[in-house]
């Protein structure tokens, strides 16, 4: 199963769709089976835009002041046998996974925690739990509007591959993201 992870798609008032920045994000999302959005969508139109590529599950961000059946404050799901928790803001960052799970996911035993909020891509593993922040596809590292990062999960019953994907560089604005990947087997 291929899962696309995105976050923090705040669209500036002059931009109505990620398509206006180019085909990069649409090309990426058209390659996945499911989209996990970890919040700060800012507009329901963006969820509908994502939904044309694959089903969307969303963790509500602090800028998401609308309701949608695809959205909840926290999401816990199982995909291909991997237990995944998703929220918008996974803090405190230095806390151990068990403490984060107790605070955000009702103490669920998780293999992967997904968050957004910082606009900075992150992929690391500690205490047996992968923590993933896909950054922002269009406002990476809180820079001006430009291409940034998304994440790809490839899930099989015994293997999880996670990757930070650079969407490319915008004219006159380099992408500040860092491509990296990891693989977990059980």
């Amino acid at each position: 199963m291929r899962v696309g992870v995105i976050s923090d798609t705040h669209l500036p008032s002059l931009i109505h769709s990620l398509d206006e920045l180019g085909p990069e994000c649409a090309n990426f999302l058209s390659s996945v089976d499911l989209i996990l959005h970890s919040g700060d969508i800012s507009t329901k139109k963006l969820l509908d835009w994502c939904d044309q590529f694959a089903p969307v599950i969303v963790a509500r961000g602090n800028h998401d002041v609308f309701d949608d059946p695809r959205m909840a404050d926290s999401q816990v799901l199982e995909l291909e046998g991997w237990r995944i928790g998703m929220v918008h803001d996974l803090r405190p960052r230095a806390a151990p996974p068990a403490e984060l799970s107790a605070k955000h996911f009702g103490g669920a035993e998780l293999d992967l925690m997904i968050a957004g909020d910082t606009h900075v891509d992150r992929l690391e593993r500690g205490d047996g739990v992968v923590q993933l922040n896909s950054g922002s596809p269009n406002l990476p590292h809180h820079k001006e509007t430009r291409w940034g990062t998304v994440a790809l999960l490839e899930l099989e019953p015994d293997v999880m591959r996670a990757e930070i994907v650079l969407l490319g560089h915008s004219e006159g604005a380099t992408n500040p993201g860092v491509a990296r990947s990891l693989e977990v087997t059980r």
Side-chain angles (χ1 to χ4, degrees):
M1 175 178 220
R2 289 175 56 89
V3 179
V5 182
I6 62 175
S7 185
D8 297 289
T9 50
H10 308 268
L11 292 180
S13 59
L14 298 176
I15 297 176
H16 298 74
S17 165
L18 290 177
D19 285 332
E20 292 179 42
L21 296 175
E24 287 85 345
C25 197
N27 289 343
F28 170 75
L29 294 177
S30 67
S31 74
V32 302
D33 304 306
L34 177 68
I35 299 167
L36 299 179
H37 195 303
S38 53
D40 278 0
I41 301 126
S42 298
T43 173
K44 185 180 181 303
K45 286 192 291 188
L46 183 85
L47 288 182
D48 297 336
W49 180 82
C50 289
D51 215 16
Q52 71 182 310
F53 304 107
V56 183
I57 298 173
V58 184
R60 182 186 310 278
N62 54 303
H63 290 269
D64 300 329
V65 293
F66 60 94
D67 289 319
D68 188 279
R70 299 167 282 198
M71 186 164 49
D73 291 340
S74 153
Q75 301 278 2
V76 176
L77 54 150
E78 187 171 315
L79 301 172
E80 297 292 328
W82 297 94
R83 297 171 316 264
I84 300 169
M86 181 173 64
V87 293
H88 179 60
D89 185 356
L90 189 63
R91 291 178 202 229
R93 182 177 170 169
E99 183 180 319
L100 291 170
S101 179
K103 179 178 179 180
H104 299 287
F105 307 109
E109 195 171 309
L110 301 170
D111 301 301
L112 170 64
M113 293 180 184
I114 297 172
D117 190 49
T118 66
H119 295 228
V120 177
D121 45 286
R122 176 181 179 210
L123 178 60
E124 56 191 47
R125 185 173 187 218
D127 294 332
V129 178
V130 174
Q131 291 189 28
L132 169 67
N133 185 325
S134 62
S136 173
N138 57 309
L139 291 169
H141 296 232
H142 289 287
K143 307 268 185 196
E144 68 275 357
T145 302
R146 63 174 79 188
W147 282 126
T149 54
V150 292
L152 175 65
L153 297 173
E154 293 179 300
L155 304 173
E156 300 173 26
D158 295 322
V159 180
M160 172 181 20
R161 290 177 201 85
E163 176 183 1
I164 299 293
V165 177
L166 299 180
L167 289 173
H169 298 281
S170 300
E171 188 175 328
T174 58
N175 188 330
V178 178
R180 56 191 166 278
S181 63
L182 65 77
E183 181 173 296
V184 177
T185 57
R186 48 174 163 193

